[in-house]
Amino acid sequence: MAELVVSELVTNAVVHTEGPSRLQVEGGEGRVRIAVWDTSPRIPPPLGGPPAASVRPVPDEQPGGRGLGLVGVWARDWGAYTVGEDGFGAVGKVVWVELAWGRGDFAVAA
């Protein structure tokens, strides 16, 4: 599951922004935190609420728009914030997701 979350966040940074992006993964005490920095200050709309509330209907004919909803189902917590020069070293935003860690694998948060 963590691989899918990393893939979604990094893909969004590449597809929806211009310029570089960076990935950071940290783990400890029953959780892993995945963070992706990119050069756009725009916060994706689903990140304004609780993770489980992020799933929203997407028309069948629309080729995208489902990834962050899935990430929201798997996330224990998530968020995004804009950064200046003090963040990852450049302006933009950081989107982060925290996943529960259980029994050697990632567990879906309740």
Side-chain angles (χ1 to χ4, degrees):
M1 182 182 331
E3 296 92 344
L4 294 173
V5 171
V6 167
S7 177
E8 175 62 20
L9 297 184
V10 171
T11 298
N12 283 350
V14 170
V15 170
H16 298 293
T17 70
E18 296 179 15
S21 58
R22 293 189 186 139
L23 169 68
Q24 181 178 35
V25 179
E26 298 175 333
E29 299 196 30
R31 61 128 182 120
V32 65
R33 184 179 175 111
I34 301 163
V36 175
W37 165 83
D38 64 48
T39 57
S40 171
R42 184 183 165 278
I43 305 291
L47 289 163
S54 66
V55 181
R56 61 182 193 263
V58 177
D60 290 340
E61 64 276 0
Q62 185 174 328
R66 295 164 186 83
L68 282 178
L70 291 172
V71 170
V73 170
W74 298 325
R76 178 164 78 177
D77 199 6
W78 73 349
Y81 55 90
T82 57
V83 294
E85 294 296 326
D86 61 334
F88 276 86
V91 295
K93 73 170 168 301
V94 173
V95 174
W96 61 270
V97 175
E98 190 172 280
L99 301 172
W101 177 263
R103 297 186 186 217
D105 202 355
F106 291 96
V108 175

